[in-house]
Amino acid sequence: MYYGFDIGGSKMALGVYDSERRLQWEKRLPTPHDSYENFLTTIASMVEEADTRFGLKGSVGIGIPGMPVTDDGTLYAANVPAASGKPVQADLSAMLGREVRMDNDANCFALSEAWDDEFREYPVVMGLILGTGVGGGIIVNGKSITGRNYITGEFGHTRLPVDALNVLGRDIPLTRCGCGQHGCIENYLSGRGFAWVYQHFYSEPLDSKEIVARYRAGDDKAIAHVDRFVELLACCLGSLLTAIDAHLVVIGGGLSNFTEMYQQLPERLPKYLLPVAKVPRIEPARHGDAGGMRGAAFLHLTE
């Protein structure tokens, strides 16, 4: 059995999956903040309960925000303060008597999608999250690419390409990002970026859901905004795909529910790709909030 933990600042969720990658059991508990010892023992107790329930010692994978294993072997996760700066992977492996694998939560999202029954045929899968920020992961032959610093897939912190200035206008403000740089694409392509660009052009503060509702009701401003946004997404995605050359792009996050873009993106992408490049398949994420657990569990599917 494959055990997958999705650990965040408020909760830790455990999903248990069988050899067919089907969910058999799950449990959620609040993420402890009072002590590192309590953090470890809470995870250990959930694993012990699963072992007892299924009569075996399942493999354990953990998805967590931040850098799961830094150079000195410790976790960096700002919103999990009880464990940040601690050797979580080594301590849990010793405590549980089995290898514990850890990865960034965005990589686990991408890994979960890559192991979907329908998507397994694709060797290179790009997971793209359009949510509060912009992130994701790259999966090659069923395994996540973490990179030197676990920042592979931090697509939101690439800068606007020159084509984006043709879409948005050369006078578009290059807003400061939380990472300290200016002009990162997540300030324009995330859910809040979607709303910010609308307000920039039309001086009206609306959230993304209100804008989409107006678009579907035939509002001229919302239609023009969506046309601009999808073109911007196409030119930014084109730059990423020139480097990654994925067979499949799976989109998650709040904006993934804006289904109209799945028809429009393949039509707009070719002009931003190399002439010989084929447009990849582009699909909405299949597993939603369960993706973190699934992907963490599937860290043990490959060596």
Side-chain angles (χ1 to χ4, degrees):
M1 304 294 276
Y2 301 99
Y3 303 171
F5 281 89
D6 180 16
I7 297 178
S10 60
K11 56 86 180 171
M12 50 176 62
L14 167 63
V16 176
Y17 297 82
D18 63 17
S19 60
E20 300 299 318
R21 304 183 309 284
R22 303 289 185 258
L23 179 65
Q24 299 301 308
W25 182 68
E26 64 179 306
K27 182 169 184 173
R28 296 169 184 259
L29 289 175
T31 301
H33 293 285
D34 54 345
S35 73
Y36 180 52
E37 181 181 6
N38 195 17
F39 177 85
L40 294 179
T41 56
T42 299
I43 294 173
S45 69
M46 295 169 78
V47 170
E48 182 179 356
E49 184 176 353
D51 286 350
T52 300
R53 177 178 289 266
F54 294 100
L56 49 74
K57 291 180 66 172
S59 62
V60 178
I62 294 175
I64 198 163
M67 296 171 63
V69 185
T70 57
D71 284 352
D72 63 1
T74 61
L75 165 74
Y76 171 75
N79 64 342
V80 189
S84 192
K86 307 294 187 182
V88 175
Q89 184 178 42
D91 286 347
L92 279 175
S93 294
M95 180 179 287
L96 298 174
R98 71 200 81 174
E99 178 193 11
V100 173
R101 296 184 180 181
M102 296 178 63
D103 205 342
N104 178 273
D105 55 352
N107 288 341
C108 288
F109 153 76
L111 190 64
S112 168
E113 297 297 327
W115 280 98
D116 179 83
D117 289 345
E118 186 180 353
F119 297 153
R120 281 188 64 194
E121 65 181 283
Y122 298 103
V124 181
V125 177
M126 174 182 173
L128 178 64
I129 301 170
L130 302 178
T132 304
V134 173
I138 301 169
I139 310 301
V140 177
N141 295 325
K143 187 173 183 178
S144 66
I145 306 301
T146 60
R148 169 67 175 80
N149 300 294
Y150 281 90
I151 59 174
T152 302
E154 289 285 0
F155 307 124
H157 299 294
T158 59
R159 311 294 187 274
L160 288 171
V162 64
D163 292 319
L165 302 181
N166 296 330
V167 176
L168 294 172
R170 297 277 168 169
D171 60 345
I172 191 76
L174 298 180
T175 57
R176 184 178 177 86
C177 180
C179 74
Q181 301 289 347
H182 292 77
C184 290
I185 67 173
E186 85 166 19
N187 282 351
Y188 307 87
L189 292 180
S190 62
R192 57 185 171 78
F194 184 83
W196 181 89
V197 172
Y198 184 91
Q199 184 173 4
H200 171 75
F201 281 96
Y202 303 113
S203 302
E204 187 176 6
L206 298 176
D207 64 28
S208 57
K209 290 183 179 179
E210 292 172 313
I211 297 167
V212 170
R214 290 192 181 190
Y215 170 82
R216 290 172 174 163
D219 179 83
D220 289 342
K221 290 180 182 178
I223 290 171
H225 170 70
V226 167
D227 179 74
R228 184 185 298 111
F229 176 83
V230 176
E231 192 69 24
L232 176 64
L233 177 57
C235 77
C236 293
L237 183 56
S239 293
L240 296 172
L241 287 171
T242 298
I244 298 167
D245 196 22
H247 298 83
L248 168 71
V249 176
V250 182
I251 301 178
L255 285 178
S256 68
N257 298 317
F258 182 45
T259 55
E260 288 85 345
M261 69 179 170
Y262 298 103
Q263 289 80 45
Q264 297 182 37
L265 269 176
E267 299 170 359
R268 297 175 186 241
L269 267 172
K271 61 178 171 289
Y272 300 113
L273 299 173
L274 289 173
V276 297
K278 303 294 189 295
V279 174
R281 182 178 176 183
I282 302 173
E283 294 285 342
R286 298 289 197 259
H287 298 283
D289 291 342
M293 292 190 313
R294 291 182 83 252
F298 302 163
L299 290 169
H300 283 272
L301 287 177
T302 55
E303 292 301 322

